[in-house]
């Protein structure tokens, strides 16, 4: 688009103007000039987010066929379906940066791209459907509410839509937990066991501690992220502790205590070795999750080809003229 | 991309590769990368309201784009009408010339009712 | 016409949709592309939603205090009244789409007639379902055209699915005394009237999809409601496991 225009300004000037726009709180749109590093950081972060939504369908999808009532079955299908939608919204947002979805999906399937470590844990009982909505979606909402103010327009808009839709995810999860906690002794034990297994991975899900998060400073400078991982984690804990107390479930942290002065709940040490091991591929379900996605992609190849071939055969005349 | 079945624009690959993606069905080695074109979705939330952009999706053709738009963007309602447009059919104003495009419109104060004064007490404006 | 007849009929309507919705939901997270994953989940949700209404009404008609969950989760496989076609495993995407088309066309005609049922509650449930199934039919018809007239592979897969499923279609129109009594009472449609309409609709889509309807399919024995394949028991054992492990529990 610019090729004929005189190159009146050099990159340094463009960069200065970009930084000034960020500083002024302006929104960056796809066709605006942006530093290459901003673009690649966004692609990395947004595609990781999209992959997480897609892989995140699997642990909950595991219980759709066993949901214990028709109402729960429908809620769960709708929730897992939303995750597909949210992955789709974010992939489309990422595509505005000049990378197409096929390429992003390929990065996921070949193991080049990462996704949230939380989805590499197995879902072992019906209560896991409750605790995932409550903890995992709860943590995601804390993160996404802030991302809805991100400097990149398509990302922020996708987040606004997602936050609106995800309202019911956390609530239905907590409702499941409250019902189980008030149910039979076996149900209550099931709920507590799920809390025990998912609490620490959920805290880790908000990302490495600020000291070990190499991308945070840059992303905050560019207002892609607006809060650090530790700030988000604190917000999640402060929200969740009273919710656990209200349904008489115990969070598995003997060091958890309220600090009167700061007004925050303080937690015990997080096992970051476990986090990094899961990120590096050694979580309980890493292989199964990726394999499930590869299988779906490969089994769907002939379907995608069929629709493309049909479209090519039945292309309306006006569309070919437009080329 | 000689044996690839990738489609990059909203125009089906038939224009670029004879026979279209996978049309020969010879079982040539596939990379699974058939990418349907991108479409922009516009939704109308109530009779008489404007269609607003709600997002994008991939679809092989217009009918599938419309169905996908219904399933992806109208599953919560309330939507009364949808448009789907091939993304490549959209021509956008140049962002690096935003100044010359839009600033001249910003100082034409005589286009706005506040520019005009009428005697006190006269009603109906 | 007795309440027993109506109860039996509502179970047929409910179970067809519950079992098919359950099967469709198995695609969730495993669809050929994200957009279609979402579409299949929508259809599964519609079907399970319709099943919930029919089974709820069935429980009321029966009058023994069973609600939709009691009927879905605490009946044995021989008590289920669904068509054999809907309980078959999902197969590949072609099998799923062909089965949807065959059922959608049937359900479309059924709902269209049931909207005029002398039983106003049944008519109300049907008119809600009618809107949904009109879209389902559009979805499966459009997809079948793309598979049938897409690539050689997709054509072969779609034709194989038609060949495999065709023998199960007669059961949809196997009217028994229950349906005849309900038809006489103005509550249920005449299956003999629906069959030719269904054949016309399906033949039209098949023709547009460059697919052929097998002409010499041997009739499936025992095509009456309540007889099943071996697949249903496995499906139900999975579907019912949590509910049955905690009898009396709330969820």
């Amino acid at each position: 688009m610019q090729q004929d225009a005189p190159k009146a300004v050099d990159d340094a000037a463009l960069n200065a103007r970009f930084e000034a726009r960020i500083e002024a709180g302006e929104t960056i749109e796809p066709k605006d000039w942006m530093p290459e590093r901003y673009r690649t950081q966004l692609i990395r972060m947004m595609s990781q987010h999209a992959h997480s939504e897609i892989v995140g369908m699997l642990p909950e999808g595991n219980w759709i066929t066993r949901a214990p009532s028709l109402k729960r079955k429908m809620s769960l299908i709708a929730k897992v379906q939303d995750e597909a939608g949210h992955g789709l919204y974010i992939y489309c947002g990422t595509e505005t940066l000049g990378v197409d979805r096929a390429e992003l999906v390929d990065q996921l399937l070949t193991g080049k791209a990462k996704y949230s470590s939380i989805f590499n844990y197995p879902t072992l009982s019906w209560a896991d459907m409750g605790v995932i909505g409550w903890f995992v979606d709860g943590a995601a909402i804390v993160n996404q509410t802030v991302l809805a103010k991100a400097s990149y327009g398509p990302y922020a808009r996708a987040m606004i839509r997602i936050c609106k839709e995800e309202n019911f995810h956390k609530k239905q999860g907590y409702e499941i937990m409250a019902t189980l906690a008030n149910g039979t002794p076996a149900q209550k034990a099931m709920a507590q066991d799920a809390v025990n297994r998912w609490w620490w991975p959920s805290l880790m899900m908000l990302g490495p501690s600020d000291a070990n998060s190499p991308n945070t400073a840059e992303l905050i400078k560019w207002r892609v992220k607006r809060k650090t991982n530790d700030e988000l984690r604190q917000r999640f804990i402060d929200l969740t502790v009273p919710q656990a107390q209200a349904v008489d479930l115990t969070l598995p942290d003997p060091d958890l205590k309220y600090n009167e002065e700061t007004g925050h709940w303080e937690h015990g040490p997080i096992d970051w070795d476990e986090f990094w091991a899961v990120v590096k591929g050694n979580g309980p379900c890493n292989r199964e999750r990726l394999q499930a996605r590869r299988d779906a992609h490969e089994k769907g190849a002939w379907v995608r080809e069929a629709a493309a071939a049909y479209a090519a055969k039945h292309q309306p005349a006006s569309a070919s003229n437009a080329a | 991309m000689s044996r690839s079945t990738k489609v990059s624009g909203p125009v089906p690959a038939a224009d670029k590769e004879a026979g279209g993606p996978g049309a020969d069905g010879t079982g040539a080695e596939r990379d699974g990368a058939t990418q349907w074109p991108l479409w922009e979705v516009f939704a109308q939330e109530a009779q008489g309201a404007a269609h607003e952009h709600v997002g994008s999706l991939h679809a092989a053709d217009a009918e599938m784009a419309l169905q996908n738009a219904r399933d992806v963007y109208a599953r919560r309602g309330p939507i009364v009408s949808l448009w789907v447009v091939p993304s490549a059919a959209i021509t956008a104003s140049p962002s690096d010339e935003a100044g010359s495009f839009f600033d001249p419109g910003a100082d034409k104060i005589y286009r706005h009712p506040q520019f005009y004064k009428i005697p006190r007490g006269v009603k109906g404006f | 016409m007795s309440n027993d007849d109506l109860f039996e009929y509502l179970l047929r309507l409910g179970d067809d949709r519950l079992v098919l919705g359950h099967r469709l939901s198995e695609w969730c997270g495993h669809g050929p592309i994200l957009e279609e994953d979402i579409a299949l989940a929508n259809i599964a949700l519609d079907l399970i939603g319709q099943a919930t209404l029919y089974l709820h009404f069935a429980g009321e008609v029966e009058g023994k205090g069973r609600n939709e969950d009691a009927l879905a989760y605490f009946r044995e496989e021989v008590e289920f009244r669904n068509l054999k076609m809907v309980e078959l495993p999902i197969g590949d995407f072609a099998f799923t789409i062909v089965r949807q088309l065959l059922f959608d066309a049937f359900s479309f005609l059924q709902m269209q007639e049931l909207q005029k049922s002398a039983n106003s509650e049944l008519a109300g449930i049907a008119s809600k379902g009618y809107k949904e199934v009109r879209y389902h039919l559009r979805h499966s018809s459009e997809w079948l055209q793309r598979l049938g007239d897409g690539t050689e592979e997709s054509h072969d897969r779609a034709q194989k699915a038609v060949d495999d499923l065709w023998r199960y279609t007669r059961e949809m129109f196997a009217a028994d005394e229950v349906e005849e009594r309900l038809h006489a009472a103005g509550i249920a449609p005449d299956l003999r009237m629906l069959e030719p309409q269904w054949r016309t609709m399906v033949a039209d889509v098949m023709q547009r999809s460059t697919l052929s309807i097998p002409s010499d399919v041997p009739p499936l024995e025992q095509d009456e409601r309540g007889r099943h394949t071996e697949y249903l028991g496995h499906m139900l054992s999975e579907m019912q496991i949590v509910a049955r492990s905690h009898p009396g529990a709330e969820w």
Side-chain angles (χ1 to χ4, degrees), chain C:
Chain C
M1 200 282 300
S2 68
N3 262 5
D4 287 352
D5 282 349
L6 185 57
F7 176 64
E8 166 75 21
Y9 187 62
L10 290 166
L11 289 183
R12 293 177 185 187
L13 291 168
D15 289 348
D16 280 347
R17 285 152 187 83
L18 173 60
V19 173
L20 186 59
H22 181 100
R23 284 302 191 196
L24 262 190
S25 77
E26 293 176 26
W27 278 104
C28 198
H30 307 277
I33 190 165
L34 275 180
E35 283 81 354
E36 189 53 25
D37 210 303
I38 294 169
L40 292 176
N42 264 352
I43 298 169
L45 283 168
D46 286 345
L47 290 170
I48 298 170
Q50 291 171 16
T52 303
L53 297 175
Y54 288 120
L55 293 179
H56 180 82
F57 187 27
E60 285 180 354
V61 167
E62 187 194 33
K64 291 182 183 165
R66 291 204 280 184
N67 65 8
E68 61 274 21
D69 284 332
L71 289 170
Y73 288 93
F74 291 91
R75 273 183 303 150
E76 303 295 325
E77 71 187 274
V78 292
E79 297 172 272
F80 271 74
R81 288 291 177 265
N82 58 281
L83 298 163
K84 283 185 272 299
M85 185 173 81
V86 298
E87 71 199 32
L88 301 174
I90 54 175
D92 64 5
F93 186 71
F95 188 89
T96 287
I97 289 297
V98 171
R99 170 165 58 187
Q100 288 307 126
L101 175 78
L102 300 174
F103 182 79
D104 291 344
F106 172 63
S107 182
F108 173 83
L109 295 169
Q110 224 181 1
M111 295 302 114
Q112 199 170 41
E113 293 303 310
L114 276 173
Q115 293 183 89
K116 298 176 255 173
S117 172
N119 184 304
S120 60
E121 186 154 354
L122 185 51
I125 299 173
S127 62
K128 179 181 177 291
Y130 178 69
K131 282 186 207 150
E132 293 171 344
V133 78
R134 272 183 68 161
Y135 179 74
H136 301 173
L137 184 59
R138 175 171 174 165
H139 175 266
S140 54
S141 309
E142 292 290 341
W143 258 116
L144 193 59
Q145 290 171 61
R146 278 149 188 80
L147 299 184
D149 194 16
T151 64
E152 195 179 320
E153 178 178 3
S154 68
H155 176 88
D156 292 349
R157 285 175 181 265
Q159 186 61 58
K160 182 176 186 316
V162 174
D163 294 347
D164 289 346
L165 279 159
W166 199 255
R167 57 206 289 260
Y168 292 97
T169 57
R170 200 180 70 171
E171 187 183 6
M172 291 189 278
F173 304 102
D176 60 2
E177 290 175 359
V178 172
E179 304 227 7
E180 276 165 15
R181 283 194 294 268
L182 288 170
H183 172 57
I187 289 175
D190 181 1
L191 285 171
R192 279 164 305 196
M193 186 192 84
L194 297 191
E195 187 169 8
Q197 293 179 34
W198 179 85
R199 286 188 174 277
T200 306
M201 282 172 79
V202 169
D204 176 54
V205 180
M206 292 290 174
Q207 192 256 326
R208 277 186 282 140
S209 309
T210 71
L211 296 167
S212 51
I213 291 172
S215 52
D216 54 348
V217 175
L220 196 66
E221 293 304 319
Q222 297 197 329
D223 59 352
E224 66 210 61
R225 295 276 182 165
R227 302 287 190 146
H228 294 287
T229 65
E230 288 181 347
Y231 297 112
L232 181 66
H234 293 283
M235 193 202 102
L236 293 180
S237 67
E238 186 174 334
M239 186 179 106
Q240 298 176 336
I241 175 97
V242 178
R244 291 210 180 198
S245 302
H246 303 266
E250 298 281 322
W251 299 100

Side-chain angles (χ1 to χ4, degrees), chain A residues 54 57 64-70 72-74 80-81 101 179 187 190 293 302 304 306 310 313-314, chain C residues 22 25 29 32 34-35 38 42 45 52 69 73 145-146 149-150 154 157 238-239 242 246 249-251:
Chain A
I54 301 311
M57 296 171 75
I64 286 175
T65 53
R66 290 176 288 175
S69 75
L70 296 178
R72 293 292 179 208
K73 196 183 198 69
M74 289 189 277
V80 178
Q81 181 196 42
R101 193 161 97 196
T179 308
Q187 285 179 306
M190 190 195 289
R293 288 312 310 159
W302 70 268
R304 299 190 296 276
Y310 178 90
K313 283 188 217 175
H314 297 264
Chain C
H22 181 100
S25 77
L34 275 180
E35 283 81 354
I38 294 169
N42 264 352
L45 283 168
T52 303
D69 284 332
Y73 288 93
Q145 290 171 61
R146 278 149 188 80
D149 194 16
S154 68
R157 285 175 181 265
E238 186 174 334
M239 186 179 106
V242 178
H246 303 266
E250 298 281 322
W251 299 100

Side-chain angles (χ1 to χ4, degrees), chain A:
Chain A
M1 190 184 301
Q2 266 187 324
Q3 69 234 18
D4 298 329
K7 201 169 165 60
V9 279
D10 60 11
D11 276 7
L14 285 169
N15 203 47
R17 198 169 136 226
F18 176 84
E19 300 283 353
R21 292 189 61 198
I22 294 280
E23 189 60 32
E26 287 184 28
T27 303
I28 308 301
E29 293 296 340
K31 293 188 182 203
D32 296 353
W33 187 90
M34 62 186 79
E36 189 52 24
R37 175 91 184 147
Y38 178 83
R39 199 179 74 87
T40 52
Q41 280 283 42
L42 270 173
I43 291 175
R44 186 190 59 81
M45 186 170 166
M46 290 172 72
S47 62
Q48 269 186 27
H49 195 162
H51 298 328
S52 301
E53 297 281 356
I54 301 311
V55 177
M57 296 171 75
L58 298 169
E60 288 171 286
N62 182 37
W63 282 86
I64 286 175
T65 53
R66 290 176 288 175
S69 75
L70 296 178
K71 176 187 145 188
R72 293 292 179 208
K73 196 183 198 69
M74 289 189 277
S75 300
L76 187 58
I77 294 171
K79 179 175 188 292
V80 178
Q81 181 196 42
D82 273 351
E83 283 152 16
H86 298 168
L88 191 155
Y89 304 158
I90 307 170
Y91 279 133
C92 286
T94 316
E95 285 181 282
T96 63
L97 292 159
V99 52
D100 68 22
R101 193 161 97 196
E103 197 175 330
L104 297 172
V105 169
D106 186 64
Q107 288 170 5
L108 171 69
L109 300 183
T110 54
K112 270 183 245 157
K114 292 194 173 66
Y115 57 87
S116 182
S117 59
I118 192 86
F119 302 117
N120 290 315
Y121 290 85
T123 51
L124 302 178
S125 79
W126 171 252
D128 291 27
M129 298 306 98
V131 89
I132 287 179
W134 178 24
F135 287 176
V136 178
D137 288 271
I141 290 167
V142 164
N143 186 30
Q144 288 167 175
T145 310
V146 180
L147 285 174
K149 296 174 201 129
S151 58
Y152 189 57
Y155 197 20
R157 288 192 287 274
M159 285 305 120
I160 289 168
R161 190 170 186 94
I162 289 172
C163 286
K164 221 188 273 174
E165 297 189 351
E166 266 188 4
N167 262 335
F168 96 84
H169 292 190
K170 179 179 173 181
K171 222 171 154 186
Q172 66 90 34
Y174 189 68
E175 187 189 88
I176 289 173
M177 295 310 278
T179 308
L180 294 175
N182 276 310
T184 65
Q187 285 179 306
K188 170 126 199 203
M190 190 195 289
Q192 184 60 55
D193 174 61
V195 166
N196 295 347
R197 284 183 289 111
W198 288 90
W199 174 249
W200 290 105
S202 300
L203 294 190
M204 294 174 199
M205 176 192 159
L206 288 155
S209 193
D210 298 346
N212 296 309
S213 178
N215 295 309
T216 293
E218 193 171 49
L219 291 170
I220 287 199
K221 180 189 80 172
W222 280 330
R223 303 200 184 184
V224 175
K225 287 180 78 157
R226 311 296 295 256
K227 298 255 193 250
T228 69
N229 295 346
D230 287 335
E231 286 170 334
L232 295 172
R233 192 162 17 247
Q234 187 62 56
R235 165 107 182 119
F236 169 69
I237 295 171
D238 290 342
L239 284 172
T240 308
V241 174
Q243 291 166 351
Q245 291 169 335
V247 290
D248 196 24
L249 289 168
T250 308
L251 299 174
D253 179 357
D255 298 328
L256 193 66
K257 59 176 184 295
Y258 189 68
N259 184 325
E260 295 279 355
E261 278 178 32
T262 61
H264 292 300
W265 286 89
E266 291 172 355
H267 62 87
I270 294 173
D271 181 1
W272 291 112
D273 291 344
E274 176 181 322
F275 174 76
W276 291 113
V278 176
V279 168
K280 290 193 175 90
N282 297 318
C285 298
N286 296 56
R287 281 159 194 256
E288 288 83 352
R289 299 295 185 237
L290 266 190
Q291 194 56 48
R293 288 312 310 159
R294 281 190 204 119
D295 288 347
H297 191 70
E298 284 164 18
K299 281 181 195 154
W302 70 268
V303 179
R304 299 190 296 276
E305 289 166 11
Y310 178 90
K313 283 188 217 175
H314 297 264
Q315 192 178 1
S318 58
S320 50
N321 293 341

